[in-house]
């Protein structure tokens, strides 16, 4: 097990990444198509975590991205069907959800859409933007969500890459000090 004085650099690296993602959010928020927004760094942080849930690799990142796209499409379908079913009153949106969730769950059999948790997170994020961000449209919410998803996935990749390199460096350094140097 890595000694704490060496381990502490890992949380510092992650903190630096978190610092930079928050700074990047302040730049990106001004470039997003939704005017007068207060930033969407929270979407990047969620996608960053989804990268880890998906296996900490590029394949999992791809599945996460496709899950987010599926979630956006499912959300739009639910909102549109809810309107179509408006004559059902209270049951309009529950019925829309029922209908849309069936094909969504079937996606677990279709790579690269088979990481269904990302679909649910992507849908929830889209609903959040549409519900709580004034002036959001399907188009602007989609662009915003997917840009921040890519940012979060990139930060997930950076975290894993930097940590892996650092751990390899520490392992090689400790072994060389123990007299068991690993040849390169």
């Amino acid at each position: 097990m890595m000694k704490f004085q060496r381990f502490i650099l890992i949380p510092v690296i992650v903190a630096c990444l978190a610092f930079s993602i928050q700074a990047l959010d302040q730049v990106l928020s001004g470039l997003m198509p939704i005017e007068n927004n207060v930033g969407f760094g929270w979407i990047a942080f969620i996608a960053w975590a989804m990268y880890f849930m998906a296996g900490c690799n590029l394949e999992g990142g791809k599945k996460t991205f496709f899950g987010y796209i599926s979630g956006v499409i499912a959300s739009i379908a639910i909102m549109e069907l809810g309107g179509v079913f408006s004559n059902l009153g209270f049951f309009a949106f529950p019925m829309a959800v029922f209908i849309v969730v069936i094909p969504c769950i079937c996606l677990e059999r279709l790579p690269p859409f088979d990481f269904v948790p990302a679909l649910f997170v992507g849908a929830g994020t889209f609903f959040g933007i549409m519900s709580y961000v004034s002036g959001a449209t399907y188009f602007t919410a989609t662009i915003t969500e997917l840009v921040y998803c890519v940012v979060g996935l990139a930060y997930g990749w950076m975290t894993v890459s930097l940590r892996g390199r650092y751990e390899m460096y520490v392992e090689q350094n400790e072994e060389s000090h123990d007299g068991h140097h690993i040849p390169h």
Side-chain angles (χ1 to χ4, degrees):
M1 176 181 279
M2 185 184 301
K3 294 177 183 174
F4 185 77
Q5 63 264 26
R6 293 191 184 261
F7 169 79
I8 191 63
L9 189 56
I10 293 170
V12 170
I13 290 168
V14 174
C16 288
L17 289 171
F19 172 91
S20 70
I21 206 171
Q22 195 60 48
L24 178 62
D25 176 43
Q26 293 181 52
V27 173
L28 282 178
S29 66
L31 301 174
M32 288 296 100
I34 301 173
E35 293 185 29
N36 302 318
N37 69 74
V38 294
F40 297 97
W42 57 275
I43 299 171
F45 278 101
I46 293 168
W48 188 356
M50 291 300 296
Y51 185 82
F52 298 122
M53 291 178 62
C56 298
N57 56 46
L58 292 177
E59 182 63 25
K62 180 175 91 173
K63 288 176 183 254
T64 299
F65 185 73
F66 279 100
Y68 270 59
I69 291 171
S70 301
V72 166
I73 293 167
S75 296
I76 293 170
I78 289 168
M79 288 184 238
E80 291 297 315
L81 276 176
V84 169
F85 295 150
S86 62
N87 61 335
L88 296 176
F90 176 84
F91 291 102
F93 281 92
M95 182 57 75
V97 168
F98 176 82
I99 290 170
V100 172
V101 165
I102 294 170
C104 287
I105 301 302
C106 289
L107 288 175
E108 76 177 47
R109 300 210 168 228
L110 182 65
F113 300 95
D114 54 345
F115 186 47
V116 175
L119 181 150
F120 278 88
V121 170
T125 301
F126 191 83
F127 279 122
I129 294 170
M130 291 300 297
S131 298
Y132 300 107
V133 178
S134 177
T137 65
Y138 290 162
F139 177 76
T140 60
T142 300
I143 296 302
T144 300
E145 179 171 347
L146 294 181
V147 164
Y148 276 90
C149 174
V150 168
V151 168
L153 293 173
Y155 272 76
W157 176 83
M158 284 189 284
T159 304
V160 171
S161 179
L162 290 171
R163 182 177 181 152
R165 289 177 189 201
Y166 176 68
E167 287 176 343
M168 186 183 318
Y169 167 80
V170 168
E171 182 179 313
Q172 288 175 348
N173 193 359
E174 286 178 352
E175 288 180 4
S176 67
H177 283 96
D178 292 342
H180 300 95
H181 182 65
I182 299 174
H184 297 335

